[in-house]
Amino acid sequence: MMKVEHIGIAVKSLSTSVPLFTSILNTECYKTEDVESEKVKTAFFQKGETKVELLESFDQNGVIAKFIEKKGEGIHHIAFGVENILEEMARLEKAGFILLSKMPKKGADNKLVCFMHPKETNGVLIELCQNLD
């Protein structure tokens, strides 16, 4: 794991939350993107080395909609950048962690991603992400 790549925040509405975080972070959203596989719309901010990803569900049965229904808006996950996601997944599985998928999938911001089960990580959903570049 190289660094915190981004912090994912579940929100009910990007139209409300983007201006809020623009004001909080004193910077503009640099990218929005739909991730069909996760049924979310994303908005990204960058401050220094760290990015903030806002996540709005566009499906009432999507993972973000269910998260907000259960826990409300707030921090959803912390993502760590990795050089080689397949090697990191193998290392973590060997160490006894449960991964939510056997293979990484395409995520937002031109990344390959995989999530670790939060029951194994003190209740924190951790995302591994590798640049596709």
Side-chain angles (χ1 to χ4, degrees):
M1 307 234 186
M2 300 181 309
K3 67 175 186 171
V4 173
E5 207 286 331
H6 68 267
I7 299 166
I9 301 174
V11 300
K12 291 179 183 175
S13 166
L14 287 181
S15 63
T16 301
S17 298
V18 167
L20 174 70
F21 277 85
T22 297
S23 181
I24 290 169
L25 298 172
N26 195 28
T27 192
E28 296 294 322
C29 169
Y30 74 86
K31 181 180 190 178
T32 60
E33 181 178 352
D34 288 357
V35 181
E36 294 291 331
S37 64
E38 301 300 314
K39 300 178 176 140
V40 297
K41 295 177 183 181
T42 65
F44 283 91
F45 294 84
Q46 181 144 7
K47 201 65 174 179
E49 289 284 317
T50 304
K51 292 186 246 178
V52 173
E53 176 189 31
L54 303 180
L55 303 136
E56 173 193 350
S57 184
F58 58 72
D59 183 315
Q60 67 183 15
N61 295 313
V63 294
I64 296 301
K66 290 178 182 179
F67 176 88
I68 289 172
E69 184 179 303
K70 186 176 180 182
K71 296 184 178 189
E73 294 178 291
I75 293 178
H76 179 259
H77 67 272
I78 299 174
F80 291 95
V82 299
E83 284 286 330
N84 185 315
I85 197 166
L86 293 173
E87 286 178 8
E88 197 64 18
M89 289 171 69
R91 180 187 75 79
L92 291 164
E93 276 190 311
K94 187 175 180 181
F97 292 98
I98 299 170
L99 303 177
L100 296 180
S101 60
K102 292 292 180 196
M103 293 298 295
K105 54 187 166 181
K106 178 144 179 15
D109 204 26
N110 201 35
K111 304 275 191 270
L112 278 178
V113 302
C114 177
F115 289 88
M116 298 173 67
H117 199 294
K119 288 183 180 177
E120 302 290 324
T121 57
N122 290 357
V124 178
L125 183 61
I126 293 177
E127 177 184 12
L128 308 175
C129 57
Q130 174 188 319
N131 286 332
L132 283 171
D133 300 324

